[in-house]
Amino acid sequence: MRDPWNAFMPYPDADVGHAAIGPLSGFRLAVKDLFDIAGYPTAAGNAAVLAGSGIKTSTAPLVQTLLDAGACLVGKTNTDELAYSLIGSNIHFGMPINPRYPHRIPGGSSSGSAVAVAAGLADIGLGTDTSGSIRLPAAVNGLIGWRPTHGSLDNRALRPLAPSFDVPGFMTRSLEPMAAVMSAVGMPAANDRPPSILIPENVFATIDGAVADEMIASLRSAGMPVRRTNAIASFSLSDLALAFITILQREAWETNRTLFERSPEAIAPDIAARLLSGSRLDDEEVREAGSIRELFSAEIDRLLHENVVVALPTLAMNPPRRDAEPERFAAFRSACIKLLCLSGLSGCPQLAFPIANCAGNVSLSLFGARSADRMLMNVARRLKAE
C-alpha cells in the first residue's frame, strides 16, 4: 500500500485473517503499534523496543475481536515514542503528515492511526488514549474520536504507559462506523431517557470567545435541554492538570524504568526528561494527586448520574506547525492537558467530533458518566443531524 503520509510502520505484511461476514465487514482497520498482532513486531515508537520485540505469535484480544467482527487489518501504525506525547513527533520513525493541514502537527500519540483514517487508507483507527492521544489527533485531523469508559475494553497484549489512565480507543471519519465499532466491542445500549447538556463556563472561557459562541449555538440547535454552570468540580483546571500529570509521570516512569536504565540513549531527550521527572517525584506529591483524583471522580459521579452530558471544547488552541519550536509544543501540550485530563482522572468516556457548521478546526467533545458511551453517540447524532 502506498503511504505518502508516513502513517504506517514499514513492516512486511502478515496475513492475520478476519471473519468473512460480521458487523465490521468491509471496514479497513489500522492498529497503533502498541498492540501485539501475530506475525508483526511491536515497537511502541522506540527502536530499542523494536529490536527486542521479535515477531509476536498471538494477537491482542481487542484486535482479535475486531477481526472476528469482519474488520480487515491494513497495517500497524506509527506512534509517538512510548506513546508519551501529544504532538506526533518521533525521532526514530518520523512524524506522520496531517492530510488535512500538512503544515500542522498530526497530534499524538495515536497519530499514525488518525492519519491513516484521515487520508482514506483505513476506515477504523485503533489507538490508545492516556492523556488525550485519541481525542487530540482526532480533533487535529477532523475525525470522530472515542475514548471509552476506563476498563471497559480488553487491554491485554497492549504495551502500557500509565495503566490507571490508559484506554484503548478508536477514530473514524463519521459517526456510523464508530457506532458499528461500539456494537462490535460490546458496549451496552443507552437508556431511553433524554439527556441534558451542561456547559461549564470555566472550560469554555479557556478558548476563543467566538468559537465558544458557535459551539454553544450548535448545542442549543439540537433541541435538548441546555444549561450553564460555573464549573463541574470544586477544583481548578490547573489543579486537576497538575494532579493528572503527577500520577501520569510516576506511572510512566514505573512502566519504562527498565528500558530507561538499560538504554537511556535510545530514548528521545524530551521523552527521557519526562521519565526522569517521574522518577524524582516525592511519594507525598503522588499521594496528594491521588486524593485529588478520588475527590474529583466522586464529584463527577454525583454530577453525571442523572443523565447529564457535559459539553467541552476538545482543544484549547489551534495545533502548532510541525516545524514549531519545542517551547510552542510544550505550551500547546500544557494548555490541552487542562481539558483532556478530565476523562483520565474520572475514568469517564468522551466522544470528540468536528462541528460541521463551525468554521476552521473546531472539535466538540461530549463527556458522560461511566458506561454512558452509547448515550454520547446518540447525542452526537442529534448534533450532527442539524
Side-chain angles (χ1 to χ4, degrees), residues 346-366:
S346 64
C348 293
Q350 189 167 332
L351 187 70
F353 53 94
I355 300 296
N357 58 342
C358 288
N361 192 54
V362 177
S363 175
L364 178 69
S365 278
L366 301 174

Side-chain angles (χ1 to χ4, degrees), residues 293-345:
R293 171 163 65 174
E294 290 179 9
L295 291 169
F296 171 71
S297 184
E299 290 182 351
I300 290 298
D301 286 344
R302 289 192 293 270
L303 175 70
L304 301 180
H305 82 285
E306 291 293 342
N307 254 36
V308 173
V309 171
V310 177
L312 306 166
T314 308
L315 300 182
M317 61 176 67
N318 286 328
R321 295 180 62 90
R322 53 190 293 123
D323 59 356
E325 294 297 319
E327 294 78 15
R328 175 77 173 103
F329 291 150
F332 175 73
R333 185 185 296 111
S334 178
C336 288
I337 284 288
K338 290 181 180 180
L339 305 185
L340 297 168
C341 73
L342 304 179
S343 289
L345 287 170

Side-chain angles (χ1 to χ4, degrees), residues 199-228:
I199 297 173
E201 302 279 9
N202 68 323
V203 174
F204 277 85
T206 64
I207 66 170
D208 178 84
V211 173
D213 289 343
E214 285 186 292
M215 284 189 176
I216 294 169
S218 179
L219 289 165
R220 293 192 183 283
S221 72
M224 290 172 287
V226 177
R227 61 187 175 91
R228 296 175 182 250

Side-chain angles (χ1 to χ4, degrees), residues 125-322:
L126 172 59
T128 62
D129 190 307
T130 301
S131 57
S133 294
I134 289 286
R135 294 160 289 163
L136 190 150
V140 170
N141 289 276
L143 303 174
I144 315 296
W146 172 39
R147 177 192 165 97
T149 298
H150 187 270
S152 62
L153 300 184
D154 197 322
N155 64 357
R156 287 175 293 167
L158 165 62
R159 193 181 196 280
L161 173 63
S164 71
F165 295 140
D166 295 344
V167 178
F170 296 90
M171 290 166 286
T172 60
R173 286 189 297 279
S174 61
L175 288 171
E176 292 316 307
M178 189 66 80
V181 169
M182 287 187 177
S183 296
V185 299
M187 297 307 299
N191 63 54
D192 294 330
R193 290 183 298 158
S196 61
I197 307 296
L198 190 64
I199 297 173
E201 302 279 9
N202 68 323
V203 174
F204 277 85
T206 64
I207 66 170
D208 178 84
V211 173
D213 289 343
E214 285 186 292
M215 284 189 176
I216 294 169
S218 179
L219 289 165
R220 293 192 183 283
S221 72
M224 290 172 287
V226 177
R227 61 187 175 91
R228 296 175 182 250
T229 184
N230 289 332
I232 59 173
S234 60
F235 298 96
S236 71
L237 294 176
S238 294
D239 287 344
L240 291 171
L242 178 58
F244 177 86
I245 292 169
T246 299
I247 299 168
L248 169 65
Q249 288 188 338
R250 169 59 68 85
E251 292 190 9
W253 167 248
E254 292 171 348
T255 297
N256 292 286
R257 179 174 183 168
T258 299
L259 173 65
F260 184 90
E261 292 178 343
R262 287 178 178 172
S263 307
E265 74 289 344
I267 302 172
D270 60 324
I271 306 295
R274 288 202 286 280
L275 292 175
L276 278 174
S277 293
S279 74
R280 294 165 179 159
L281 287 168
D282 183 85
D283 288 344
E284 183 56 34
E285 290 179 85
V286 179
R287 281 192 292 271
E288 183 178 347
S291 296
I292 291 174
R293 171 163 65 174
E294 290 179 9
L295 291 169
F296 171 71
S297 184
E299 290 182 351
I300 290 298
D301 286 344
R302 289 192 293 270
L303 175 70
L304 301 180
H305 82 285
E306 291 293 342
N307 254 36
V308 173
V309 171
V310 177
L312 306 166
T314 308
L315 300 182
M317 61 176 67
N318 286 328
R321 295 180 62 90
R322 53 190 293 123

